[in-house]
Every structure is written in C-alpha cells, then in structure tokens.
Amino acid sequence: MTGTTGMTGPTGTPRTPSALAPAIAARLKRGADGLLPAIAQQYDTGEVLMLGWMDDEALHRTLTTGRATYWSRSRREYWVKGDTSGHVQHVRSVALDCDADTVLVRVDQTGAACHTGDRTCFDADDLPLGDGR
C-alpha cells in the first residue's frame, strides 16, 4: 500500500480495483501503464490549465466526488487536486475525446493549477515558432 491511496504494481502503476462503470471502462483506450491523459480546462473560459494522468479509479473518483482526482506518476499515488495546496478543481463536466484515449475535465479552478504557483502549467515557457514569433 502507498499511504491510503491504494496498491501499486512493481513499476508504480496503479493496481486498485475500480468501481468505474463497466460501460465506461470498456470504452477507454489506456496506455501500457493503464493510464490515460486528462486535460484540465477552466469550464467558463476554455483556458487549458494542466495535464494529469488517470486510471479507471481516478476517473471513477472524479466522476463521483466532483473533485478532480489524478494518478501521480512521480509519487505513485492518487491525489485530489487541492487537498494539500487548497487549489481545488471542482468538476463541471467530463468528456472523452473521439478516440477514447484522452479525458477532458472541465473544472472551476480555485487558485493556481500548476505546482509552480502559476495559473496554468502552460504560462511560463512559450516556444518560438519557425517564423521567429
């Protein structure tokens, strides 16, 4: 066990049995590690806030609690956004993309979404385009 977060496999991937609805679970196209990317977007402005990772259990918790829950690949545990920082993501809607390999979580973000303290994880490092812009 990793704290109260659930069991992990030898590579740290989640191994917690999930109560995710079987009809939803059957549609998901996960990576070899059992995870799929989850994009968090501010529900009213469309601002892209961050990218996290979910397995079936994280998605189940997100859908049933109204709080965005992710699988931390570095800490190897589930984390509910805002539980330690206070920067909560209240879920407004969740959608699968056309290939069912990415989740879009529309949230009402309280405070910074990025662990660096920035509003989004994409605020700090714009890359130059080929035309010099």
Side-chain angles (χ1 to χ4, degrees):
M1 289 285 212
T2 304
T4 59
T5 58
M7 294 171 47
T8 61
T11 61
T13 55
R15 295 287 184 252
T16 302
S18 176
L20 183 65
I24 296 172
R27 295 174 57 196
L28 301 178
K29 294 180 185 161
R30 304 158 196 81
D33 57 5
L35 302 174
L36 62 156
I39 301 166
Q41 179 183 48
Q42 178 63 35
Y43 84 98
D44 54 353
T45 66
E47 180 180 34
V48 176
L49 300 170
M50 59 172 275
L51 171 70
W53 296 92
M54 290 185 177
D55 68 346
D56 290 17
E57 180 61 19
L59 180 56
H60 169 71
R61 293 179 189 188
T62 297
L63 292 170
T64 58
T65 67
R67 297 273 310 278
T69 303
Y70 302 96
W71 174 257
S72 172
R73 297 180 303 168
S74 60
R75 293 189 311 260
R76 298 178 177 175
E77 64 184 14
Y78 294 103
W79 57 283
V80 179
K81 182 67 175 164
D83 269 3
T84 56
S85 67
H87 301 162
V88 177
Q89 291 179 343
H90 295 283
V91 177
R92 294 299 188 100
S93 67
V94 178
L96 286 174
D97 76 335
C98 58
D99 296 320
D101 63 0
T102 303
V103 176
L104 177 63
V105 185
R106 292 183 191 96
V107 301
D108 190 5
Q109 176 71 47
T110 300
C114 188
H115 70 279
T116 64
D118 285 337
R119 168 76 181 158
T120 84
C121 292
F122 302 99
D123 284 347
D125 199 9
D126 285 341
L127 301 175
L129 299 175
D131 63 2
R133 286 190 280 156

